[in-house]
Amino acid sequence: MSSPSTIYTKRERIAELARNAPSMGFTSLNHYLDLEWLREAFRLTRKDGAVGVDGQSAGEYAANLEGNLQALLDRAKSGVYAAPPVRRVHIPKGDGSETRPIGIPTFEDKVLQRAVVMLLESIYETDFLPCSYGFRPGRSAHQALDALWRQTMSMGGGWVVELDIRKFFDTVSHGHLRELLSQRVCDGVLLRLIGKWLKAGVLEEHTLSHPEAGTPQGGVISPLLANVYLHAVLDAWFERDIKPRLRGRGFMVRYADDAVLVFEHETDARRVLEVLPKRFARYGLTLHPEKTQQVRFRPVRKPPDPPPGSFTFLGFSHFWGRSRKGSWVLKRKTAASRFTRALRRIRESCRRNCHEPLAQQHADLCKKLSGHYGYFGITGNSDALARFKHEVGLVWHKCLRRRGQQRQLDWERFNHLLTRFPLPPPVVVHSYLRSTAKT
């Protein structure tokens, strides 16, 4: 059976080679791709995801695991592996007026993609910069928010450039991506597999298409390819070419294709904002002209100063406010669009379950509220959490009154019901005070 410790040792060996030779292209990586490596990839692959175009579940694949993995390995090494098309579904985005396409590979394809990610991650994690947090081992959205908070507070505010890349995952240039990958990965087996995944078709409502650009959102390997792309397009460029030319301090925080750039001086922000569209166009990407903007983000220092602006990043609205001691402090609250979206999902869930037993409805609501607190429960956001809980209570009350036997459920009776089925109170899961104590 596979040994995670053995695989870890192999990955560390690759990482050490990558650290010692930051400009070297790896010509022989596929020899690590053996049956033991695939077993570990299978172990790390989610087993409860939706099925792909072949309809095969993880349980069905595991019924003959050794035989299936050996066959997969033989096809991958010999070059006869054919990447199956991904099944595309659409999920609501933002306020619900738009949708985000998600690609669902087959389970076997997920395993092979995970195996290749394990190889590439060992190399690229030594190259990626501290400013990127999305879909990287040991990094999270809350770490990105914390880094943004700390650096902005240290700078005392400044000018923020919000980046919005228009349909990033749909417009990634395959040619540019292959060129960037070949700088570090020269192994023919791996490059051939990645090429097949890029050219794999998309099956949507019985219609098969073959997009000439983009990586399917939902694929196991897509986040890593996105990070490789944006590392070159934005991260390394900002660190190497932009920061040395700034008049004052500046930093960047990126999570996948969401990024904010913060500058001490307005002139620096304006100059960078002017060159950003040209930089992205060079790699086939387009910045949204309305959502990519510069925001004056400094607290009021003198009475003539205009009030500071605000910006949104990773679901939180960032703004300046007064602390209890009267000093200016960077505050965060749930962004209006995310608040509305989360509440809409609660409302839809209540409508679907309105005739289920009260205990089941209560358990479902508690689970959803706890999940909401788990992400949005940060220091300073207690008011928004309390308001969300209150709104959820209103939604549940309205839903219950639609039940025949509950039409007389006035507020007094509903509050009595809440004593039997209380909704979980708001919880600050990600405390700035606790993280400060650790450091």
Side-chain angles (χ1 to χ4, degrees), residues 165-173 213-215 229 283-286:
I165 307 173
R166 180 176 281 173
K167 296 183 178 180
F168 169 73
F169 285 93
D170 294 332
T171 57
V172 169
S173 165
T215 60
Y229 207 81
Y283 289 87
L285 301 175
T286 304

Side-chain angles (χ1 to χ4, degrees), residues 257-362:
D257 59 333
D258 290 329
V260 289
L261 290 68
V262 185
F263 302 92
E264 185 178 8
H265 296 304
E266 182 181 9
T267 53
D268 288 335
R270 189 184 306 118
R271 286 167 55 205
V272 172
L273 184 58
E274 289 174 356
V275 301
L276 276 172
K278 301 174 185 176
R279 174 68 182 178
F280 278 79
R282 180 179 171 185
Y283 289 87
L285 301 175
T286 304
L287 295 179
H288 197 293
E290 297 176 358
K291 297 180 180 179
T292 299
Q293 58 183 340
Q294 176 182 315
V295 178
R296 185 187 187 279
F297 197 69
R298 298 179 65 179
V300 177
R301 297 177 179 176
K302 298 178 181 179
D305 287 350
S310 64
F311 66 94
T312 300
F313 182 59
L314 295 181
F316 290 90
S317 178
H318 294 68
F319 60 98
W320 286 102
R322 295 285 189 178
S323 69
R324 292 180 179 178
K325 296 181 179 180
S327 58
W328 286 103
V329 63
L330 172 58
K331 295 188 174 185
R332 289 85 54 91
K333 66 179 180 180
T334 309
S337 60
R338 295 292 292 272
F339 189 100
T340 303
R341 185 199 311 179
L343 194 61
R344 183 176 64 248
R345 289 175 177 171
I346 294 282
R347 188 177 294 111
E348 291 170 353
S349 176
C350 282
R351 288 173 180 169
R352 288 194 303 269
N353 301 326
C354 67
H355 294 292
E356 299 295 335
L358 286 177
Q360 182 175 331
Q361 293 187 46
H362 174 254

Side-chain angles (χ1 to χ4, degrees), residues 358 396-397 400-401 404-421:
L358 286 177
W396 196 24
H397 175 249
L400 290 177
R401 292 195 64 184
Q405 66 271 34
Q406 300 287 353
R407 291 190 183 278
Q408 302 302 318
L409 185 68
D410 57 20
W411 281 110
E412 182 178 353
R413 292 174 178 172
F414 179 67
N415 287 328
H416 178 69
L417 182 145
L418 287 178
T419 61
R420 294 172 52 208
F421 300 103

Side-chain angles (χ1 to χ4, degrees), residues 87-159:
R87 182 170 66 87
R88 174 173 285 177
V89 297
H90 292 265
I91 61 173
K93 176 182 177 182
D95 59 0
S97 60
E98 298 182 15
T99 60
R100 184 190 303 276
I102 297 294
I104 304 174
T106 64
F107 181 78
E108 181 177 67
D109 208 40
K110 291 178 185 178
V111 172
L112 187 56
Q113 287 190 34
R114 174 60 60 193
V116 173
V117 166
M118 288 160 56
L119 285 169
L120 299 185
E121 209 170 56
S122 304
I123 299 171
Y124 283 108
E125 276 301 310
T126 68
D127 295 346
F128 291 157
L129 298 177
C131 62
S132 87
Y133 291 85
F135 305 107
R136 293 182 58 188
R139 294 190 152 227
S140 67
H142 291 97
Q143 290 177 335
L145 290 165
D146 186 61
L148 176 60
W149 190 92
R150 291 174 184 275
Q151 293 181 81
T152 305
M153 286 292 293
S154 174
M155 190 184 293
W159 278 260

Side-chain angles (χ1 to χ4, degrees), residues 11-316:
R11 296 183 68 178
E12 278 297 300
R13 189 180 307 150
I14 299 172
E16 184 178 1
L17 289 172
R19 277 191 294 267
N20 294 335
S23 59
M24 180 182 74
F26 285 75
T27 58
S28 180
L29 283 170
N30 75 85
H31 68 276
Y32 290 101
L33 195 63
D34 55 17
L35 197 56
E36 183 182 40
W37 195 277
L38 284 181
R39 289 193 196 103
E40 179 64 8
F42 170 82
R43 187 184 72 84
L44 295 175
T45 302
R46 280 186 56 186
K47 311 300 189 296
D48 58 348
V51 298
V53 294
D54 62 352
Q56 187 179 46
S57 67
E60 293 168 342
Y61 192 83
N64 182 28
L65 182 61
E66 291 298 305
N68 287 332
L69 292 182
Q70 184 63 60
L72 176 61
L73 179 64
D74 294 341
R75 283 179 283 140
K77 288 290 189 75
S78 64
V80 300
Y81 179 78
V86 298
R87 182 170 66 87
R88 174 173 285 177
V89 297
H90 292 265
I91 61 173
K93 176 182 177 182
D95 59 0
S97 60
E98 298 182 15
T99 60
R100 184 190 303 276
I102 297 294
I104 304 174
T106 64
F107 181 78
E108 181 177 67
D109 208 40
K110 291 178 185 178
V111 172
L112 187 56
Q113 287 190 34
R114 174 60 60 193
V116 173
V117 166
M118 288 160 56
L119 285 169
L120 299 185
E121 209 170 56
S122 304
I123 299 171
Y124 283 108
E125 276 301 310
T126 68
D127 295 346
F128 291 157
L129 298 177
C131 62
S132 87
Y133 291 85
F135 305 107
R136 293 182 58 188
R139 294 190 152 227
S140 67
H142 291 97
Q143 290 177 335
L145 290 165
D146 186 61
L148 176 60
W149 190 92
R150 291 174 184 275
Q151 293 181 81
T152 305
M153 286 292 293
S154 174
M155 190 184 293
W159 278 260
V160 172
V161 173
E162 295 182 80
L163 284 188
D164 188 281
I165 307 173
R166 180 176 281 173
K167 296 183 178 180
F168 169 73
F169 285 93
D170 294 332
T171 57
V172 169
S173 165
H174 292 174
H176 285 303
L177 179 57
R178 290 191 185 95
E179 181 182 349
L180 294 173
L181 285 169
S182 65
Q183 295 173 11
R184 286 296 253 166
V185 181
C186 304
D187 186 295
V189 171
L190 298 187
L191 292 178
R192 184 166 56 241
L193 284 172
I194 293 172
K196 290 180 178 181
W197 285 320
L198 291 176
K199 292 187 287 188
V202 175
L203 185 65
E204 184 174 1
E205 296 182 354
H206 308 293
T207 301
L208 182 64
S209 61
H210 292 83
E212 297 181 359
T215 60
Q217 297 183 61
V220 176
I221 201 169
S222 293
L224 177 61
L225 297 180
N227 275 332
V228 170
Y229 207 81
L230 288 175
H231 169 77
V233 176
L234 182 59
D235 302 359
W237 171 74
F238 183 80
E239 191 71 25
R240 180 188 65 242
D241 298 337
I242 298 300
K243 287 181 72 173
R245 293 178 169 85
L246 297 178
R247 287 182 53 210
R249 289 179 290 173
F251 69 90
M252 183 184 73
V253 177
R254 180 176 67 81
Y255 189 93
D257 59 333
D258 290 329
V260 289
L261 290 68
V262 185
F263 302 92
E264 185 178 8
H265 296 304
E266 182 181 9
T267 53
D268 288 335
R270 189 184 306 118
R271 286 167 55 205
V272 172
L273 184 58
E274 289 174 356
V275 301
L276 276 172
K278 301 174 185 176
R279 174 68 182 178
F280 278 79
R282 180 179 171 185
Y283 289 87
L285 301 175
T286 304
L287 295 179
H288 197 293
E290 297 176 358
K291 297 180 180 179
T292 299
Q293 58 183 340
Q294 176 182 315
V295 178
R296 185 187 187 279
F297 197 69
R298 298 179 65 179
V300 177
R301 297 177 179 176
K302 298 178 181 179
D305 287 350
S310 64
F311 66 94
T312 300
F313 182 59
L314 295 181
F316 290 90

